[in-house]
Amino acid sequence: MSAEYQPNIVAFLCNWCSYAGADLAGTSRTNYPSNLNVIRVMCSGRVNPLFVVNALQQGADGVLVSGCHPGDCHYMEGNFYARRRFGMMKELLEYVGVEPGRFNMSWVSASEGAKWKDVVGEVVDKAKEAGPFKQFRRDKINW
Amino acid sequence: MNNKPKIGVYVCHCGVNISKTVDIDAVVEFASRMPNVKVVRDYAYMCSDPGQLLIREDIEKEGLNRVVVASCSPRMHESTFRKTLAAAGLNSYYLEMANIREQCSWVHEDKEEATAKAKKIVYAAVAKARLLEPLYEKEVDVEPATLVIGAGIAGIQAALDIANAGFKVYLVEKTPSVGGRMSQLDKTFPTLDCSACILTPKMVDVANHPNVELLAYSQVEDITGYVGNFDVKVRKKARYVDVNKCTGCGVCSEECRLKNRIPSEFNMEMGKRAAIYLPFPQAVPAKYTIDPERCLFLTRGKCGKSPKCVDACSAGAINFEQEDEIAEFKVGTVIVATGFDVFDAARKPEYGYSDYPNVVTGLEFERLVSASGPTGGAVVLGEGEDAVVPKDIAFIKCVGSRDASVGNEYCSRVCCMYTAKLAHLVMEKVPGANVRIYYMDVRAFGKGFEEFYDRVRREGIRYIRGNPSEIFKRGEKLVVKVEDTLTATPLEDEVDMVVLAVGLEPRKDAREIIDILRLSQSGDRFYLEAHPKLAPVDTATDGVFLAGCAQGPKDIPDTVAQAKGAASSALVLLASGKVKIQAQISVVDQSTCRGCGYCVEICPYGAIDLVTVNRMGNLAQAAEVNEALCKGCGACAAACFSGSIQQKSFMDRQILPQIAVLGVM
Amino acid sequence: MVDVAKLKEIARETVSRDDVKYLIGWRQGTFGFRAAPHFVNKPEDVDQLIFSPLCSHNLATYLTGVEKLPVPRGQEADSRKVALMVKGCDSRAVVLQLVEQGYGRDSVVVIGCPCQGVVDQKKVEAKYPDMGENITAEWGEKTIIFNLPSGKTEVPREEVLAGKCLTCRYPNPLLADAGAWEEVAVWGSDDYADVQDLEAGNPQERRAFWEDKFASCIRCYACRNVCPMCYCEDCILDRLNPQWITRAVNPTENTAFHLSRAFHLAGRCIECGECERVCPVDIPLMKLNRKLTKEVRENYDYEPGLDPEAKPLQASYRPNDKEDFIL
Ligand SMILES: Cc1cc2nc3c(=O)[nH]c(=O)nc-3n(C[C@H](O)[C@H](O)[C@H](O)COP(=O)(O)OP(=O)(O)OC[C@H]3O[C@@H](n4cnc5c(N)ncnc54)[C@H](O)[C@@H]3O)c2cc1C
Ligand code: SF4
Ligand code: SF4
Ligand code: SF4
Ligand code: SF4
Ligand code: SF4
């Protein structure tokens, strides 16, 4: 892979933990790669697993879903459902040949600004390793 | 309103916080080329009054109907800008924030990169903004009444506060009398007030309060509805005594054929009562109750020639025909104050609680030292002629607390102090007594606790650090086998009596209320508060609050404080008379819902029900969201295969364009 | 083993009941080695009922379709029961449809048919290329007996049975109101060899394998339509707002379609194999579905359609669900 390749990553963050954690990383003036773009949802339980398929289809090279640590969900149980759904989705994607590094899930709490930086770093590195996603990317975007 | 989107994009410099790394002009120029964007402006501080004024004027003059503010995190200023929109007469949910500060300018150093990312973020916000829909925050009226479940000190205090504020309270107590555990205590640490002396006036007050309807010897059967509007169903168990006639004279109990034959629950089964009884002399209401499981007439249909109590009662209050009654009423808020159970010492067989009568629990010892207890307050072992006064008494702390082997890892918070209190009472009552306390740690954290602990030690009570491994009998004596861990000496301590400082546990019947109110439990199995720090009396269900030991072990001062907290939380709702309902909740398209019930299962708030709908002449099941219960998490929306349930403001069709923009750019 | 004569007797009694609308079973097809669904409306139609190794169709699919027919104005919806013949795998579909409240337990009469395996059309047709009309089949001792025009032939069952039957662990109906049968012995076992094959390869191989398969899909949606668990009123594959997947038939949309449907069947596919059977271009759909079946069994200890009381996999969780994949 050429050194300039910059993967494009779409991330779904829950409002209460991960989005707040990412905000904290900002407030603490952390510095991390700019490859990751965030879509805020109220709960990781809101993230429809098909969003991941859709993001890959619409041009993302990697997808991240991040929520509160188990037991910390603002809505008590949402992240437990998310964990189950994405555990299966990840298996499915890898089974059809999507590289394991493309889809990731993380627990980042509102106080883990530093962890957020690490997660972004790791997700970007993995996506770089996987290279541009072409497998089932749409050539004509419709939206 | 003409619904063709006319979007205004407002890019904030945030002083230099954003403009230092983001090329504002480039973002503005880019935004002006986005579809449906009518106005783009930048300003030093969008959140300032002049900044907000810009938006308001554009809405009014340019007829904007969607606003994108590219500035800080929505967690910071979303509510500010929502108000701006509302002030200009635009529905406040036509706002979308683009976070180009916390998640862009502050975390990227390279201006080019940060600018490119800011453009994307703004574009994604515009893409979503085009599809935003107006939402309305509904208000529902709050029924000006509260249900308090459990009338221990927590329930009593909460009921009194609410009643004193002028609102109606239904106070439901399972047992025949109010008072809870506190009524069983003799003195209370750290000040050694007599428990009955400080509690009884409150018990009487609550029962006589014009705003309180006391439903003693009753049980909540069902609660439906939502904040402000709960429908409650209570079963008033038959006492077989007409409370309107009973004067509380007690002649019936004196005459009962089973007098002194039935172990008294109040005295921890150490004293005896009759089948018709008052649990304890100060019981409120002071009305007698027939124990339906013991009464000869009720169990066998016959009690001598005629029931003695009936003959004795000159008021004619006894009525064997009485049946349970169901009371139904509406309340706006609910306070759960159902208290605790003490740990069952038999679950630590090594301490011989089930084997030796002179191994007792702390609560039993409370009854023993109490003037109203089975021995009239004398510390004695055995009865009548055989009664002896124990001189060597050992206390063992942390029985059933901080003990993973019995599944209780938590500290019960009162045992250290009540042990000190009971030890002190021994010194007071048994001259020349020799008292030692086996402990792991002494936790004297409360106001006046450390001082009390000091005082007790000065009285000659010995604290020995060690967790006894076994208690067995040697002759007439009990032997406590333990290692003094401070001196590393194994001991076999011969004593006359052992008091186990049993911890506090969730009630065995805790599930009843969980099932009725859908409460959750924390790891320690007590009821779970909404947030351990910031919402310690709230629950996940709006309008339902916790007070006292139902939420976790605590002493009386903390119980009362929490009860007052719960009462004030309930009063906030009652006093305002209205409660706002979330706007970003879920909606079901009942024409496509297939009624699979996945969303119903998943919703953590029980906000969804299946209802019968008519679909082209066929009856089908479809989901329906109770707007007052939904908290807008969206978990249901991700579960529905066909996308029939959607979370407002986070709909699939609003999120997919965001994905598209972020993917393509 | 099913006593077909007795089965017909039961069927006759059932359709004669006032509270039964009709019975859905199988009859002999009109060509080749095929059976066809048979809607029995009156007792005399019972004569054509069969139960043989040709009865592949999972008739549970019809149960969820029934209610969708509009009721003409002024008429009452026919709320009578539907009777249904089920094999072991079919019964799991009924159980799961009940879990998902597709209909009420008292709106169906389930007639159980323990199954010794149904044939794979493609295997049989390859074996007997010049098939005649109306060939019937029956079960022998570990064999299938075909009544070919040239006479009876007996084949070891492994040679002609459908893949799903070779790995079937539930040949006996798990739910039935009636049936003329003794349980058959379970002889299949399942190690997911077909899935493991592919798992063993590297991502490039798996990608190449599926790219090839998905590219040939013509998006006829026969697989979805035949699936007893795909009974959504408005499938996301058809939705226009939002449009998850465009109408274009090309590798990217096809892949998105297959991933979406596979995911929707995670913890729901009861392995009746109908999707693969009906696919006109022979896409090995079971190899896709069974990947998730395997995951679900291994990681969540769950098999759909066994227990009418069990919560659906995707509507439940355990606090200790696997999370080794989470950062
Ligand atoms: C041995 C011992 C000694 C103690 N000594 C002291 C002391 O000296 N000082 C001090 O500060 N604290 C002391 N405590 C702690 C004190 O007892 C508690 O803080 C206090 O009793 C908690 O009150 P509560 O109202 O939360 O619970 P409880 O007193 O348990 O009251 C709960 C009430 O709810 C009722 N109830 C339960 N379930 C239902 C239902 N489903 N429907 C209707 N009613 C229901 C119960 O019958 C009961 O009346 C001691 C505790 C023990 C065990
Ligand atoms: S999950 Fe969807 S289809 Fe199922 S009941 Fe809920 S809204 Fe209806
Ligand atoms: S959004 Fe959350 S709270 Fe609201 S109905 Fe759906 S699952 Fe329940
Ligand atoms: S996906 Fe295929 S095998 Fe699974 S239930 Fe549907 S039709 Fe049957
Ligand atoms: S593919 Fe999904 S949405 Fe479509 S019918 Fe099947 S389960 Fe429903
Ligand atoms: S049946 Fe086959 S060709 Fe038709 S949509 Fe399904 S996989 Fe594609």
Side-chain angles (χ1 to χ4, degrees), chain C residues 58 223 226-229 261 265 268-276 286 289:
Chain C
N58 181 348
C223 50
V226 80
C227 175
M229 300 322 302
R261 201 181 92 88
L265 271 302
R268 298 177 66 241
C269 168
I270 47 79
E271 300 188 64
C272 62
E274 285 291 87
C275 47
E276 186 170 301
M286 292 305 281
N289 294 334

Side-chain angles (χ1 to χ4, degrees), chain A residues 8 15 19-20 22-23 26 29-34 36-38 40 43 45-46 51 55 58-59 75-76 85 141 143, chain B residues 73-75 78 99 102-103 106-109 113 117 120 540 604-605 633-635 638-639 650 652 659-660 662-663:
Chain A
N8 180 20
N15 180 57
Y19 196 89
D23 275 357
R29 309 296 200 280
T30 325
N31 184 25
Y32 58 74
S34 66
L36 186 137
N37 297 286
V38 171
R40 182 176 68 110
C43 176
R46 166 65 188 98
F51 286 166
Q58 306 222 54
Y75 305 101
M76 299 176 306
R85 292 169 186 154
I141 299 300
W143 59 284
Chain B
S73 167
R75 297 174 54 84
E78 192 172 57
N99 182 351
E102 281 84 344
Q103 298 187 13
W106 277 351
V107 288
H108 307 311
E109 280 165 358
E113 273 179 31
K117 180 164 165 185
K120 268 175 108 160
Y605 303 98
C633 68
F650 295 91
D652 288 346
I659 298 176
L662 296 182

Side-chain angles (χ1 to χ4, degrees), chain A residues 84, chain C residues 294-303 313 318:
Chain A
R84 202 169 244 208
Chain C
K294 172 170 171 276
E295 284 312 312
V296 164
R297 228 172 112 189
E298 285 172 0
N299 292 322
Y300 307 107
D301 190 21
Y302 179 89
E303 282 188 84
L313 178 90
R318 292 206 192 124

Side-chain angles (χ1 to χ4, degrees), chain A residues 6 8-13 15-20 22-52 54-56 58-60 74-78 81 85 110 116 137 141-143, chain B residues 17 35 73-76 78 82 96 99 101-104 106-109 113-114 117 120-121 123 127-128 130 520 528 540 584 601-605 631-641 646-647 650-652 655-665:
Chain A
Q6 291 298 338
N8 180 20
I9 295 159
V10 174
F12 297 91
L13 270 56
N15 180 57
W16 305 98
C17 291
S18 295
Y19 196 89
D23 275 357
L24 177 65
T27 323
S28 349
R29 309 296 200 280
T30 325
N31 184 25
Y32 58 74
S34 66
N35 308 58
L36 186 137
N37 297 286
V38 171
I39 294 177
R40 182 176 68 110
V41 288
M42 294 315 277
C43 176
S44 53
R46 166 65 188 98
V47 187
N48 189 328
L50 301 189
F51 286 166
V52 178
N54 193 263
L56 291 173
Q58 306 222 54
H74 184 79
Y75 305 101
M76 299 176 306
E77 308 181 317
Y81 292 113
R85 292 169 186 154
W116 173 246
R137 166 178 265 167
I141 299 300
N142 103 312
W143 59 284
Chain B
N17 279 306
S73 167
R75 297 174 54 84
M76 182 87 200
E78 192 172 57
R82 283 215 199 290
E96 185 64 22
N99 182 351
R101 190 180 76 176
E102 281 84 344
Q103 298 187 13
C104 186
W106 277 351
V107 288
H108 307 311
E109 280 165 358
E113 273 179 31
K117 180 164 165 185
K120 268 175 108 160
I121 295 173
Y123 204 171
K128 181 172 177 186
R130 294 166 68 197
S520 302
L528 178 69
Q584 296 178 331
E601 281 289 342
I602 279 174
C603 176
Y605 303 98
K631 297 235 172 130
C633 68
C636 51
C640 181
F641 297 128
Q646 291 290 327
Q647 183 195 359
F650 295 91
M651 302 214 175
D652 288 346
I655 292 176
L656 292 192
Q658 278 180 291
I659 298 176
V661 167
L662 296 182
V664 185
M665 271 186 72

Side-chain angles (χ1 to χ4, degrees), chain C residues 213-214 216-226 254 257-258 261 274-285:
Chain C
K213 304 295 177 201
F214 293 157
S216 61
C217 172
I218 55 171
R219 299 267 292 285
C220 62
Y221 292 158
C223 50
R224 176 199 65 185
N225 293 357
V226 80
N254 293 2
F257 149 57
H258 282 286
R261 201 181 92 88
E274 285 291 87
C275 47
E276 186 170 301
R277 178 178 71 84
V278 300
C279 178
V281 293
D282 294 345
I283 295 178
L285 289 162

Side-chain angles (χ1 to χ4, degrees), chain B residues 21 55 72 87 93 160 170 177 235-236 263 275 287 290 320 351 377 402 420 457 462 502 505 547 639 641 654:
Chain B
T21 34
I55 302 177
C72 49
Y93 289 87
L160 281 174
Y170 296 91
S177 172
R235 174 175 299 273
K236 294 162 79 176
K287 306 289 177 187
I290 295 182
F320 284 112
Y351 291 159
R402 305 169 69 198
R457 269 190 306 178
R462 282 187 299 140
V502 286
E505 279 201 325
F641 297 128
Q654 294 165 333

Side-chain angles (χ1 to χ4, degrees), chain B residues 412-521:
Chain B
S412 289
R413 295 176 58 115
V414 295
C415 319
C416 281
M417 281 297 123
Y418 84 60
T419 306
K421 168 186 75 177
L422 293 175
H424 162 83
L425 292 177
V426 174
M427 299 305 273
E428 220 177 61
K429 298 201 172 201
V430 183
N434 186 357
V435 179
R436 51 282 215 180
I437 296 176
Y438 290 102
Y439 71 102
M440 289 202 273
D441 296 290
V442 176
R443 297 183 168 176
F445 48 82
K447 186 168 176 173
F449 287 13
E450 186 67 23
E451 295 89 326
F452 183 67
Y453 167 48
D454 261 353
R455 167 180 168 187
V456 176
R457 269 190 306 178
R458 270 187 267 112
E459 287 169 356
I461 291 157
R462 282 187 299 140
Y463 274 77
I464 304 170
R465 189 160 188 275
N467 206 357
S469 56
E470 198 188 344
I471 291 171
F472 54 90
K473 205 153 184 172
R474 184 181 288 156
E476 287 303 297
K477 293 277 193 176
L478 287 175
V479 180
V480 178
K481 200 170 163 187
V482 60
E483 180 184 307
D484 179 339
T485 53
L486 291 182
T487 58
T489 9
L491 298 175
E492 291 203 349
D493 186 10
E494 295 199 350
V495 297
D496 301 315
M497 183 176 202
V498 175
V499 182
L500 303 176
V502 286
L504 277 50
E505 279 201 325
R507 285 180 64 98
K508 283 167 202 68
D509 58 10
R511 272 233 76 86
E512 279 175 23
I513 299 295
I514 292 179
D515 292 342
I516 291 174
L517 278 170
R518 294 197 235 237
L519 295 181
S520 302
Q521 290 165 291

